[in-house]
Structures are given as structure tokens and as C-alpha cells.
Amino acid sequence: MTSNSKTTVALIGGSTETAAIDAALHAMPDVAVDRRPNSLTRLNGTATQLASTADVILFCPDPAAGLDLEVLRELHRAPGRNAALVALTAPDMPIAEARRLLQAGVEDVLPWTASPADLREGLDRWKRPNLPALYEPPKRHG
């Protein structure tokens, strides 16, 4: 996570679709926004750098780039990754596509029509450090 008191959010892609999300983020005094017009796939190595410096990466999956699944898998495994990966999608995204994003490593899928209150609640949840599980299932033998 970043050392300053602001939450650093990288907002990637979908300028028209994410205009309300962008405006809501800029209205939050404790959030610093790094806006990038490209998709994760088109950012090349910059995506890995953002994953190590930002607290949260909000991105619009690029259907032309296979929903950015390959880049997501790489970022999810990146040793220096600190950022939570959150997909901003159309409100009517098929459940199968949302599952593919989750399986590739995103923490959450949020419609780009989400309210500022939903975005704030998400930011508070996504920037938290991972806590140890309170319950561990019994180990299976054999």
C-alpha cells in the first residue's frame, strides 16, 4: 500500500462509461486518481508498475483483448502487487464473464453505474490488508 494517507486509485479505460466513477473518485478528498485511457493489456509493463504502487486498480475489461484475462493472471501472480484489482463492467454483463474475471484474479466486479456510496464502501473494503481467516477447514488426508 502507499505510505501517504490518500488511497491511490488507478482508473483504467472506458472514459465514457466510467465518467460518473471518475467524478465520484475526484469528489473524495482522501483519494488520489491516476487516470489511464488504455486497457490493461495496452498498458504493457505499466500495468505491473501500477499494481505495485496503487492501492486499487479499477479497470474496464477489454472484450477485444479477451477481457484482459491474461494480464490479470500475470498481475495476480506478480510478486510486488499491492493493488486490489476491480473490474468495472456494464450492468448487464453476463455472469459467465464476471466469473471468468474473478477466476483470473480480480477481487470484485462493480458495474460502472454504481452509486458514489457503493464506490466508497468498495474502496474501504478493497484497500484493507488481507486478514487471516478466522476459520480453516479441516485438512483432508489421502
Side-chain angles (χ1 to χ4, degrees):
M1 297 285 175
T2 57
S3 59
N4 63 19
S5 61
K6 288 193 173 201
T7 300
T8 304
V9 176
L11 182 58
I12 300 170
S15 60
T16 303
E17 296 88 356
T18 60
I21 295 283
D22 194 15
L25 289 170
H26 278 91
M28 296 176 190
D30 62 332
V31 173
V33 181
D34 181 355
R35 187 77 158 100
R36 306 289 174 114
N38 293 326
S39 69
L40 277 178
T41 300
R42 291 187 197 135
L43 284 177
N44 299 321
T46 306
T48 303
Q49 179 188 4
L50 285 173
S52 66
T53 58
D55 295 304
V56 178
I57 294 177
L58 297 174
F59 71 98
C60 291
D62 184 357
L67 297 176
D68 298 310
L69 296 178
E70 194 55 42
V71 171
L72 286 169
R73 288 183 191 106
E74 290 174 19
L75 290 176
H76 185 68
R77 292 188 304 260
R81 178 177 72 96
N82 293 317
L85 304 169
V86 179
L88 295 172
T89 66
D92 60 350
M93 173 181 243
I95 291 173
E97 287 186 13
R99 286 192 67 179
R100 289 173 55 207
L101 288 165
L102 291 166
Q103 289 168 345
V106 300
E107 274 74 22
D108 207 348
V109 177
L110 185 72
W112 59 55
T113 56
S115 70
D118 288 339
L119 181 60
R120 172 85 265 166
E121 185 253 317
L123 284 174
D124 290 341
R125 186 175 65 247
W126 303 320
K127 71 178 182 178
R128 276 192 215 131
N130 291 330
L131 300 175
L134 297 176
Y135 168 78
E136 288 187 32
K139 296 184 185 202
R140 296 181 186 227
H141 301 286

